[in-house]
Amino acid sequence: MGQTLTGLLTSVRAIAGRPGTPAQGRPGGGPDQALLAALRLCGDHLSALAAAGPLTDARRTRLIASIGALTTACSTPGADAFDALLRTGHQALDSGGETEARLALALADEATALRARSKGAWRLRGNALDALGRGEEAITAYERHLALQQNTAASRDVERRIATLRAAGDRIDEALTLFRAGADTEASGADTEVSGAAARLSRHLPAAEARTAFTDLVRLRTAEHGAGDPAVRRLATLYAEHRRLSDRDPVADPLLGGAEPIGVPGLRRLVAGRTVCLVADTPRTAEQEQRPGSPLAALIEGYDLVVRCDEARHTAPAARTDLHACTLRGDTPWKGPRWDRRAGARLVFGDPLPHWRLALRGRLVPGAQDRVGDATLRRPLHDPALLGEEAGAGPASTAYTVLRLLDFLGTPARVDLIGFEGPAALSPREREWVGTRTANTDDTAVRITLR
C-alpha cells in the first residue's frame, strides 16, 4: 500500500480534519468541500479498521489502497480526484460488508453533490443502495444514471436490474392485495397477528425486513387456512418468486440464443487438426491488426482458430474471435461486464462452482456465442480428470490455462502465441513452460510444439 494504516490515517486527518471538525478551506484551488467530506468519511472508516486489529482480508486491503490513492489525489494540486473517489466507492462495495456498503453510499452522496450530472456517481449510489437492500431508492438512482447514459449497450445491465427490483416489489403488492381480498370476506375477528404481519410488509422496506415480514405472512396464513387453500398457494408462489428475484436477476433467455454446451470431447473435436493462435490484447497488436493490409492481420487471418482472452481493452469490437476464454477473478465475479463480443465458442474458467454458475447466468449474452464451455472445462489446471495440478502454484493467466488445456487435448496441428510481450508477457513460471515447447520464434509469433 506504500504506507501503514496508521500513516495513511494521519495523512487523511491532515488533509480533511478530524471527525466533527470541518477542514479549513484552502485558497489556490484546494480540494472541494465535498471531497474533503468524503475523505473524512474514509478517515472514520480507517480509524474503525485500525481499532479492529490486524487486517487479514484482502478486499479490505484493496479498499485501504484505494483510500490511499484518493488521499494522494486530494493532496496533489491540480489533480482531479473525482475518479479516485468513485473507485474508492466501488472498492468499498466490492469489500462486501454492510459497513463498507454504507461507506460507498456516503461517498456516492458526496460524488453526486460534487457532480450532479455524473452517470458514474449515480450508478455508484444505485449500487450502494441496492447492496443495502433499499430497492426503491436504488431504482430512483439507477433511473438518474440512465437519464445521463448515452451508451445503450452499457445501459442494459442497469435496465435489467431495475426490472428485477420492480418485479420483486410487484410480488409484495400482489401478496398484500391477495391478503386484503381474503380479509374482506372473513369475520371481523380475523387473526390480529396475521394482520400485523401484513401491515409490516411493504415494497419500500429494506430487503431483509421485507423478507422477514413476507415469511411471517406466509407462515401465519398457511397455519390459518392450510396449504391446500388456493389463496395460500398463490401467496406461497408469490413468496417463492420474491425470494428468487431477491437472490438473482432472471435470465432473459435461459437457452442463450440456442448456444450449445461444449465439454472436453467437443472441444477436442473443435481443435483437432487445426492451426490455432492466441492473440494478446495489447495496443501495438491491436493497431497492427486493424491496419488494412498489414502483415500481422494477414498472419492472424491465416489461422483456423483465433483465440482471445479476458476482457478486450484494445482489440477492435469486430475483430475475429473463434474462441474466447476468460477467468473469473475477485470475490463477486458474477458482477463483471457482460460478455457481449461475438465469439464462436466461449470458455469460462472459475471456481467455486456456485460462483461459476452465477457468472454464466449474469454475464453470458444470448446470441453472442454458438458454444459455451460446460462445467467439465471450468478448472482444467486443477481438475483431477484433466491436468490435476496442485492449487498452491498461484493464479494462472487465462492464456496459460488455454495453452495447458490445448496441450492436454493434444489434437491441434499447431499453436502460436502472438503479441505476448511487454505488458502482456506471461509470468516466469508460464514462460518457462512455454520455453520448453517453443519450436521457433520470430518478430510476430512464438510457436510451441504440443506433446
Side-chain angles (χ1 to χ4, degrees):
M1 291 184 297
Q3 55 184 319
T4 65
L5 178 57
T6 303
L8 178 56
L9 180 56
T10 300
S11 299
V12 169
R13 295 298 190 219
I15 298 171
R18 294 184 174 276
T21 305
Q24 297 295 320
R26 293 190 290 169
D32 188 281
Q33 288 301 314
L35 279 174
L36 293 175
L39 206 53
R40 282 195 293 275
L41 291 167
C42 291
D44 297 342
H45 189 74
L46 290 174
S47 180
L49 289 179
L55 284 174
T56 57
D57 190 335
R59 295 174 299 178
R60 289 182 173 176
T61 301
R62 291 192 292 269
L63 172 57
I64 293 170
S66 294
I67 294 174
L70 174 61
T71 305
T72 300
C74 287
S75 61
T76 303
D80 185 358
F82 188 77
D83 286 344
L85 173 61
L86 294 184
R87 284 194 295 271
T88 303
H90 285 297
Q91 192 59 64
L93 275 180
D94 289 343
S95 296
E98 181 177 350
T99 300
E100 285 75 13
R102 294 187 183 280
L103 172 63
L105 177 58
L107 296 180
D109 288 341
E110 300 300 338
T112 55
L114 194 63
R115 297 185 187 176
R117 294 188 58 78
S118 166
K119 58 181 181 289
W122 285 106
R123 177 72 180 269
L124 175 61
R125 178 172 169 77
N127 289 344
L129 288 165
D130 203 350
L132 291 168
R134 294 159 61 177
E136 295 299 310
E137 295 174 83
I139 289 174
T140 301
Y142 284 146
E143 287 176 336
R144 290 289 300 271
H145 165 81
L146 290 178
L148 298 165
Q149 177 63 268
Q150 301 299 317
N151 187 338
T152 304
S155 302
R156 290 171 186 156
D157 287 347
V158 177
E159 291 170 346
R160 189 171 65 253
R161 186 58 187 161
I162 289 175
T164 299
L165 292 172
R166 283 185 172 149
D170 290 345
R171 301 309 188 272
I172 291 178
D173 288 345
E174 185 178 344
L176 290 174
T177 300
L178 187 66
F179 168 77
R180 295 185 187 109
D184 290 342
T185 63
E186 295 171 4
S188 58
D191 193 328
T192 56
E193 190 177 4
V194 179
S195 300
R200 292 194 304 274
L201 181 59
S202 168
R203 69 185 299 156
H204 298 283
L205 284 174
E209 297 179 27
R211 187 180 301 118
T212 299
F214 209 158
T215 301
D216 290 343
L217 179 61
V218 173
R219 175 178 56 81
L220 294 169
R221 206 63 171 162
T222 302
E224 187 177 25
H225 293 280
D229 182 79
V232 171
R233 289 203 303 271
R234 178 56 185 163
L235 183 64
T237 299
L238 292 170
Y239 173 75
E241 291 175 355
H242 178 267
R243 288 297 301 266
R244 187 163 54 250
L245 290 166
S246 298
D247 291 339
R248 57 181 181 265
D249 292 342
V251 178
D253 182 0
L255 299 180
L256 296 172
E260 298 177 0
I262 184 172
V264 175
L267 184 61
R268 181 178 281 114
R269 290 192 297 271
L270 179 67
V271 301
R274 309 182 79 178
T275 57
V276 181
C277 70
L278 274 70
V279 183
D281 180 43
T282 65
R284 178 174 176 271
T285 302
E287 188 274 331
Q288 292 186 36
E289 188 180 0
Q290 294 175 54
R291 189 187 307 158
S294 72
L296 182 63
L299 175 67
I300 293 174
E301 191 59 32
Y303 287 91
D304 297 322
L305 283 174
V306 177
V307 182
R308 302 183 194 272
C309 299
D310 297 317
E311 182 180 356
R313 293 180 171 84
H314 308 288
T315 305
R320 174 186 164 196
T321 305
D322 300 303
L323 176 64
H324 173 242
C326 56
T327 301
L328 302 178
R329 305 193 191 279
D331 301 298
T332 55
W334 54 89
K335 294 183 179 180
R338 305 190 80 196
W339 299 305
D340 54 4
R341 289 191 176 226
R342 177 67 189 164
R346 201 176 309 277
L347 303 181
V348 181
F349 305 131
D351 213 21
L353 180 60
H355 288 190
W356 180 82
R357 285 173 172 162
L358 282 173
L360 262 61
R361 282 181 54 89
R363 299 177 65 180
L364 285 174
V365 176
Q369 58 280 309
D370 300 320
R371 302 178 181 87
V372 179
D374 65 15
T376 64
L377 289 169
R378 68 181 179 85
R379 50 192 298 267
L381 292 181
H382 309 306
D383 189 338
L386 297 177
L387 294 168
E389 290 187 350
E390 295 294 330
S397 69
T398 304
Y400 179 69
T401 303
V402 171
L403 287 173
R404 295 296 308 274
L405 180 57
L406 293 175
D407 183 46
F408 172 82
L409 297 175
T411 55
R414 191 174 81 232
V415 177
D416 291 353
L417 298 175
I418 297 177
F420 283 87
E421 71 278 334
L426 302 174
S427 70
R429 173 175 70 96
E430 296 171 350
R431 286 201 303 271
E432 180 182 357
W433 184 88
V434 170
T436 62
R437 289 160 173 78
T438 299
N440 70 297
T441 303
D442 57 34
D443 292 337
T444 57
V446 175
R447 183 165 301 163
I448 68 172
T449 302
L450 299 177
R451 64 184 180 188

